[in-house]
Amino acid sequence: MAAPFEIKVHDELIAEYQDSAYEVETNLFQAPASQGLKTDVFQTRLEYGYGIARDSEVGANIYLSNYNGVSYVNGGKISYMYIPTHDEEGLWHYGVKNEINYIKDVGGTETTFYEFTPILALQLQDWRFTINPSLDVTLNNNISAVFSPSAKVAYGLTHALDVGMEYYSDNLPNKSLYSVNQQPHTAYLVMDAKYGKSALNMGVGKGVTTNSDNWVIKLIASVSFD
């Protein structure tokens, strides 16, 4: 298995109406010995988003990687995110994201799939609980659907700095993954910092099952412009 190109729990951050937003994500992980790679894998995701309405954003991503001294283009996605409200003081927060992905992973497997991601969050004073119960539906010859939930618990140290934990169950289509122990599950300690319209997410993750990545380091930088 390989770490996803996007290791992110989606919340209500989208580009403002008629504004552009840019996001860069990088992660570094050690591939399983069975893949026979000589180096760790460095992955990059580049995203451009544009606010088409006060509650909607469209985006385009490209996936890149480098391992064994060679750089690759691994695909990309187009997306639409709907966030009906940006009430940071409210108790409940919600939205939805739709994506069409094409990925050629480190092992060379090509997958095209549609991802439907509900966004549900609860704000309790300095604590924020977010869940993304995503559903992935492959669009290849053999159509199948898998449940790929992720969740986040964050505590606000200040108005601009949070610390917390993220958890991912990345069940991209693989019919051999029947039991929980065979599925890739990864937990991360994370820190989020905000400055104006920009945000930074840093995390260190550890796989908790045998088919998970050993260690993963990730960094996501988001910048919004008028």
Side-chain angles (χ1 to χ4, degrees):
M1 304 302 297
F5 285 90
E6 183 172 36
I7 308 174
K8 178 180 179 180
V9 176
H10 294 286
D11 210 318
E12 58 182 10
L13 178 64
I14 62 172
E16 298 292 337
Y17 178 48
Q18 296 184 336
D19 283 0
S20 294
Y22 301 87
E23 188 165 281
V24 178
E25 175 175 357
T26 60
N27 60 66
L28 178 70
F29 70 95
Q30 184 179 37
S34 60
Q35 291 190 337
L37 302 184
K38 299 177 181 178
T39 66
D40 294 339
V41 180
F42 182 75
Q43 296 185 151
T44 302
R45 178 180 61 85
L46 305 175
E47 177 176 350
Y48 170 75
Y50 183 77
I52 60 172
R54 300 192 184 281
D55 56 8
S56 299
E57 176 195 278
V58 294
N61 289 242
I62 186 170
Y63 304 137
L64 309 169
S65 67
N66 183 280
Y67 53 92
N68 289 346
V70 181
S71 296
Y72 301 88
V73 177
N74 299 89
K77 71 176 179 180
I78 55 175
S79 63
Y80 167 73
M81 182 180 287
Y82 172 71
I83 303 293
T85 178
H86 297 274
D87 180 13
E88 291 289 349
E89 301 301 323
L91 180 65
W92 296 100
H93 306 259
Y94 61 94
V96 66
K97 189 171 188 179
N98 295 271
E99 303 176 349
I100 299 292
N101 272 273
Y102 166 75
I103 295 178
K104 185 175 183 180
D105 66 20
V106 173
T109 301
E110 298 182 48
T111 306
T112 302
F113 63 97
Y114 163 70
E115 182 171 290
F116 174 72
T117 303
I119 301 167
L120 305 169
L122 173 65
Q123 184 78 43
L124 295 175
Q125 296 183 344
D126 295 329
W127 290 92
R128 190 175 183 90
F129 304 85
T130 307
I131 185 170
N132 292 168
S134 299
L135 181 68
D136 299 338
V137 180
T138 61
L139 304 177
N140 297 38
N141 293 333
N142 297 321
I143 297 177
S144 62
V146 294
F147 183 50
S148 300
S150 59
K152 182 174 184 175
V153 178
Y155 178 76
L157 296 175
T158 70
H159 73 282
L161 183 64
D162 297 346
V163 294
M165 176 176 287
E166 297 176 356
Y167 192 88
Y168 299 86
S169 177
D170 298 304
N171 299 326
L172 284 177
N174 188 327
K175 293 183 178 179
S176 67
L177 302 180
Y178 289 114
S179 71
V180 172
N181 288 335
Q182 292 177 303
Q183 297 168 354
H185 294 256
T186 309
Y188 289 80
L189 292 176
V190 297
M191 181 185 74
D192 293 279
K194 298 178 182 178
Y195 181 77
K197 293 184 177 181
S198 300
L200 185 68
N201 171 268
M202 296 178 288
V204 177
K206 180 72 170 67
V208 298
T209 58
T210 55
N211 272 347
S212 304
D213 299 301
N214 189 14
W215 288 97
V216 184
I217 302 172
K218 69 158 181 163
L219 172 66
I220 306 174
S222 304
V223 182
S224 182
F225 296 100
D226 294 337

